[in-house]
Structure formats: structure tokens, C-alpha cells
């Protein structure tokens, strides 16, 4: 089966059921592809082949008995290096973090393992998830399967690259400001950030409530399948939302007919958008209208929230690392040391002021969504760029170099669900991402719109590597 590394979750399960392939054969095909390509991509901090083979053999036995554990049984997956896995180090992309194995497994990883999924290993990330690219002092730069001279994005860059390259059908990552959606957009896969608190998280992320765990996959249906499983409860996260036993992906075919949709190219503050991305976004809006949505160009009444976002992020890092021993603190990269230095100057009034403005921001978005069911933007304002850079060169003139990622962190601040799906390729063959957001709690509506648009955009997540 030549396309085995690119089968969807449903195709894998069907093949296992019919005994056309086994989970062991599927795993070996993925490991062969990883061996052939990962040196160019650098997606893994740890590849745990022994653990994966044991899990695949156990899955094979269940399928032979006709007793699989669910839709993920036998499917290979990866987990970001900030998601704990018992028996593996929890280094989070940093030389300053211990290399000793940890005893616990993060809730989302555990739910997938309980469903029979086969963990391949841990994927790369920037140090402690700081930044929208994956350049780590521990592992170096992770590259883009569509062009290995380009960035994969971050901070879940290794996970996005592993899915895009055909190493696995899905990956788990985290998102505190776009860390699932940004690399998804750059690598041509789907990345979903759920409503805040929907997916249990343990231990708490350094970014606190800004962060959530979520899936990366090659299509929306696989994304919804994984989300339904990782959203199951875990007592270690006492602040997670009550579990919703109804399937978030159960009504994917509902579509967008009659939905009121706002299209915003800039959210009212993005200083520059790549012309090819702007044109692809305009065409996506036309496709949406053809599907029966009521489409209107409209910006929410907000200012750029990046300063408040950075205050909350810096405060989170400062708090999380306050007890780090001096000898380990000395191993932090200059980038992380700079974040901590900036955070040292924050006063309580700065932090509480940022929190208050987030409340106002959420109220403004709530009012906006009284008029619109969905808000669409590009996911990022530029396609993938040089793998060793932290931002595109054309954005160097702006005071904040994050100007190329103006769309995503807003929805972490307001706790809204949002997804990035591919909307085509640039003339240079680089993916472009479409971003869809909805009010808090309307995760299913985001998935339905993404599924409908995915069908008409016709993108195939298959890089030329």
C-alpha cells in the first residue's frame, strides 16, 4: 500500500478491520519514512521505537480479536515535548530542563494511549514554547516538509512537521498564542485550538490559561476524532470544563448555509499581509458565499492586543521559573533570559490591567458575535520563510516582529475556539492557512465550517518531499 503513511484515521481503521494491513505494518512504514526524511526535517526530540513497537503489537492483537479500543487504535501519533510521557524526559525544548524520565503522562497523551494509539515519540519546540517558530537551543531548527530550507513555525513545529511529512496521521501540541495554528498554516495541515478549558491539561502550562492542548491532523474529520477523545475528563485538571459526552465531530456535514460570517483581512490592525495570502483569502470568502453563508467584510472593534498578551506571557514565565536553581537558569538561552528580564519589570498593576483589558476584549468579541456566527481571517500574514530566522525579513521594519502573526493570540486571550485549515499554495509552492473562529463553546460550529470549506478548497496535504 504505497500511500500508507498518508492514510487518514478512518482509512487506517478500515484497513485494520479488513486485515489489509496490520498496526505493526503501519508503524514500520511510518518508521521507514522517518528514517528516510527526518534528518532533513528534525521533527523529533525523542523517537521511542521500542515503546511504539510494543503498542503496535498490542493493537494488532486487539484487531485480530475484533476488539479494537476505538477509532485511534493502532494509529501512530506524536506528542509535543511539553506534554509529559511517563518514562521519557520532559525537557520542553530547553537544555535547562532535566533529562531524567518523568513518572506521569499528560491527560491528552494518556487518553490517546488508552484508545490504542501508538506513540512514536516527542516532537521539537522552541525553548519552553516561547515564540512562533521552532528554533530550539536543545534541538536546533525544525524545517518545513514543503521546502526544507523554510521554517515549520511554532511552537508546535515538530508536531505539525511530523503530520505534514507523513510520519503520522495526527499529533498533539499546545497553543498559547497560535502554537498549533501557526505551524499548521505554514506546513499545510489542520490545527485546532479548542475553547479554553475544554481539553484537560496537566501540569499547567507556563502560559497559564492562555494555553490549551489540541490536535494537528491532515484533515478536519481526523482533527474532530482526536478532539473528542482528548476532551474526555481528567481529575488532575480541576478547572477543566465539564465533559461533553456528545461528539464534537458528530455533525460535521451540517455545513454553513445561513451562517453569518465576517471576513477580516487585518482585524483592523495587521500592518502587512502577503498579497498571495490576501488573494487566496478573498477567494475563500467567495467559496463560503457559494456554500450558502451570508458573508460580509467586517472588523471587530478592537485594538491590537499584543502588548497585553506579552505582559501575561512574560508574567507566566517569570512565575513558572521563579524557583529554578541558578545553575540551571544559566543554561537558558539568551531569548528566554530576555523574556525573564522583561518580566522582572512587571508590576502587579501591569498584570491586573492586562487581565482587565482581556475581559473588555472578550466582551467586544461577544458583541461582535451577536452579529456574526463566525469570524474568518488568514492564519498568518506571510508564508514560510528561512528556517533559521524568527520572522520574515519583510516584517523587520515593525516594532514588534510578531507582526507576521497578528491573528491568532487574540483568541487565546478571549478563550474562543479557532482552527487553521490549508487554503492553497503560493506560486512558490508554500502552504497558506485560513483561520476560522467562533464564540466560546461553539467548537462544533468551527469544525463544521472548516469541514465544508475543506471540501471545496480541495487541498491535499501531501508535500513533495
Amino acid at each position: 500500500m504505497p500511500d500508507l503513511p498518508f492514510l487518514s484515521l478512518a482509512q487506517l481503521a478500515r484497513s485494520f478491520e479488513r486485515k489489509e494491513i496490520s498496526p505493526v505494518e503501519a508503524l514500520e512504514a511510518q518508521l521507514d519514512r522517518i528514517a528516510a526524511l527526518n534528518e532533513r526535517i528534525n521533527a523529533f526530540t525523542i523517537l521511542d521505537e521500542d515503546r511504539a513497537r510494543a503498542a503496535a503489537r498490542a493493537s494488532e492483537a486487539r484487531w485480530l480479536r475484533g476488539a479494537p479500543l476505538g477509532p485511534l487504535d493502532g494509529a501512530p501519533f506524536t506528542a509535543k515535548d511539553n506534554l509529559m510521557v511517563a518514562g521519557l524526559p520532559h525537557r520542553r525544548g530547553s537544555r535547562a530542563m532535566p533529562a531524567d524520565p518523568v513518572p506521569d503522562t499528560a491527560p491528552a497523551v494518556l487518553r490517546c494511549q488508552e484508545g490504542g494509539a501508538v506513540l512514536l515519540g516527542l516532537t521539537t519546540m522552541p525553548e519552553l514554547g516561547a515564540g512562533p517558530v521552532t528554533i530550539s537551543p536543545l534541538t536546533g531548527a525544525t524545517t518545513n516538509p514543503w521546502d526544507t530550507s523554510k521554517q515549520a513555525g511554532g511552537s508546535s513545529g515538530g508536531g505539525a512537521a511530523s503530520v505534514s511529512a507523513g510520519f503520522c496521521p495526527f499529533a498533539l501540541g499546545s497553543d498559547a498564542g497560535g502554537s498549533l495554528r501557526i505551524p499548521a498554516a505554514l506546513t499545510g495541515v489542520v490545527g485546532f485550538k479548542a475553547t479554553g478549558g475544554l481539553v484537560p491539561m496537566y501540569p499547567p502550562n507556563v502560559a497559564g490559561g492562555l494555553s490549551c492542548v489540541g490536535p494537528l491532523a491532515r484533515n478536519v474529520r481526523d482533527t474532530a476524532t482526536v478532539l473528542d477523545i482528548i476532551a474526555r475528563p481528567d481529575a488532575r485538571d480541576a478547572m477543566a470544563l465539564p465533559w461533553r459526552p456528545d461528539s464534537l465531530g458528530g455533525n460535521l456535514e451540517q455545513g454553513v448555509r445561513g451562517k453569518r460570517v465576517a471576513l477580516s483581512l487585518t482585524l483592523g490592525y495587521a500592518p502587512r499581509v502577503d498579497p498571495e495570502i490576501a488573494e487566496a483569502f478573498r477567494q475563500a470568502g467567495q467559496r463560503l458565499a457559494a456554500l450558502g453563508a451570508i458573508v460580509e467584510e467586517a472588523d471587530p472593534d478592537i485594538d491590537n492586543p499584543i502588548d497585553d498578551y506579552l505582559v501575561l506571557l512574560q508574567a507566566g514565565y517569570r512565575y513558572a521559573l521563579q524557583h529554578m536553581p541558578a545553575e540551571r537558569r544559566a543554561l537558558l538561552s539568551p531569548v528566554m533570559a530576555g523574556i525573564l528580564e522583561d518580566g522582572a519589570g512587571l508590576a502587579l498593576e501591569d498584570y491586573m490591567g492586562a487581565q482587565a483589558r482581556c475581559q473588555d476584549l472578550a466582551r467586544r468579541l461577544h458583541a461582535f458575535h451577536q452579529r456574526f456566527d463566525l469570524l474568518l481571517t488568514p492564519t498568518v500574514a506571510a508564508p514560510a520563510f528561512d528556517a533559521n530566522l524568527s520572522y520574515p525579513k519583510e516584517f523587520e521594519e515593525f516594532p514588534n516582529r510578531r507582526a507576521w502573526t497578528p491573528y491568532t493570540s487574540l483568541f487565546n486571550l478571549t478563550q474562543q475556539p479557532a482552527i487553521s485549515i490549508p487554503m492553497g499554495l503560493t506560486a512558490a509552492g508554500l502552504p497558506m492557512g485560513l483561520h476560522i473562529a467562533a464564540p466560546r463553546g461553539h467548537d462544533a460550529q468551527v469544525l463544521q465550517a472548516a469541514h465544508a470549506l475543506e471540501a471545496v478548497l480541495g487541498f491535499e496535504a501531501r508535500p513533495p518531499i
Side-chain angles (χ1 to χ4, degrees):
M1 191 173 290
D3 285 337
L4 200 158
F6 287 92
L7 294 182
S8 69
L9 289 174
Q11 288 171 327
L12 269 177
R14 192 160 50 247
S15 297
F16 295 158
E17 184 178 26
R18 295 173 179 173
K19 298 181 176 52
E20 295 169 345
I21 57 173
S22 76
V24 171
E25 291 169 333
L27 172 64
E28 293 303 329
Q30 306 283 193
L31 291 175
D32 287 347
R33 188 165 176 84
I34 292 166
L37 299 176
N38 187 57
E39 187 175 349
R40 296 166 59 191
I41 295 171
N42 188 32
F44 289 90
T45 60
I46 294 175
L47 182 62
D48 193 348
E49 296 187 32
D50 290 341
R51 181 194 301 252
R53 287 191 168 105
R57 288 193 297 270
S59 175
E60 181 178 65
R62 289 190 295 270
W63 280 104
L64 288 173
R65 295 196 309 268
L69 297 175
L72 301 186
D73 205 337
F77 78 106
T78 62
K80 189 175 179 179
D81 191 25
N82 65 346
L83 300 176
M84 293 190 306
V85 175
L88 297 181
H90 186 221
R91 303 204 68 182
R92 290 155 279 177
S94 177
R95 294 179 302 162
M97 295 301 164
D100 304 322
V102 296
D104 297 318
T105 297
V109 180
L110 189 58
R111 296 294 89 79
C112 292
Q113 290 177 314
E114 290 169 347
V118 176
L119 179 66
L120 291 168
L122 303 177
T123 52
T124 52
M125 58 183 288
E127 187 169 38
L128 302 177
V133 296
T134 298
I135 302 174
S136 164
L138 184 66
T139 55
T142 296
T143 66
N144 195 316
W146 292 85
D147 180 344
T148 54
S149 72
K150 307 293 185 186
Q151 236 316 308
S155 63
S156 304
S162 70
V163 173
S164 176
F167 295 165
C168 53
F170 78 96
L172 298 179
S174 63
D175 190 315
S179 291
L180 287 162
R181 294 159 287 156
I182 291 167
L186 296 190
T187 62
V189 299
V190 178
F192 185 79
K193 186 203 86 67
T195 291
L198 180 66
V199 179
M201 182 185 298
Y202 179 83
N205 188 278
V206 292
L210 293 175
S211 186
C212 62
V213 175
L216 292 148
R218 284 191 290 271
N219 61 68
V220 174
R221 187 172 296 280
D222 284 1
T223 303
T225 297
V226 177
L227 181 65
D228 274 330
I229 289 167
I230 64 175
R232 292 172 181 169
D234 191 292
R236 291 172 292 175
D237 187 352
M239 299 299 289
L241 295 177
W243 184 44
R244 297 164 49 165
D246 56 312
S247 171
L248 289 165
N251 296 308
L252 281 183
E253 308 296 340
Q254 188 166 317
V256 294
R257 182 166 297 280
K259 297 293 184 184
R260 301 162 300 165
V261 180
L263 300 181
S264 179
L265 186 61
T266 68
L267 287 176
Y269 55 76
R272 171 178 292 160
V273 183
D274 179 87
E276 287 186 274
I277 290 176
E279 176 59 21
F281 179 67
R282 183 187 66 80
Q283 293 180 12
Q286 293 175 349
R287 296 288 184 88
L288 197 61
L291 290 171
I294 303 164
V295 178
E296 179 183 337
E297 293 185 13
D299 294 330
D301 179 25
I302 58 172
D303 295 322
N304 191 341
I306 188 63
D307 289 340
D308 288 325
Y309 170 77
L310 291 175
V311 165
L312 296 177
L313 197 66
Q314 289 162 1
Y317 279 112
R318 184 77 182 176
Y319 177 79
L321 301 179
Q322 62 181 318
H323 300 303
M324 176 178 278
E327 64 271 18
R328 290 207 171 274
R329 186 178 288 265
L331 297 175
L332 292 172
S333 69
V335 171
M336 182 53 60
I339 290 173
L340 293 179
E341 184 177 344
D342 291 341
L346 294 175
L348 177 61
E349 291 79 7
D350 297 322
Y351 179 80
M352 295 306 295
Q355 290 281 18
R357 286 186 291 275
C358 282
Q359 286 283 334
D360 180 65
L361 191 64
R363 284 189 289 268
R364 289 174 182 268
L365 265 294
H366 179 76
F368 184 76
H369 281 294
Q370 300 306 299
R371 296 168 50 206
F372 298 103
D373 300 300
L374 298 164
L375 170 58
L376 269 64
T377 68
T379 309
V380 291
F385 46 90
D386 189 286
N388 294 308
L389 296 180
S390 297
Y391 52 86
K393 289 181 179 179
E394 60 268 29
F395 284 77
E396 191 168 12
E397 65 182 271
F398 301 112
N400 191 310
R401 306 289 169 70
R402 288 178 182 253
W404 69 278
T405 62
Y407 309 104
T408 52
S409 61
L410 166 64
F411 302 100
N412 298 81
L413 295 171
T414 61
Q415 303 284 292
Q416 292 175 238
I419 197 169
S420 179
I421 64 171
M423 65 174 178
L425 299 175
T426 66
L430 297 172
M432 299 177 286
L434 177 66
H435 195 258
I436 307 169
R440 289 186 71 227
H442 290 254
D443 301 70
Q445 186 167 263
V446 171
L447 292 166
Q448 290 159 8
H451 183 65
L453 272 166
E454 178 182 67
V456 296
L457 291 171
F459 182 85
E460 184 180 4
R462 184 72 179 263
I465 191 169

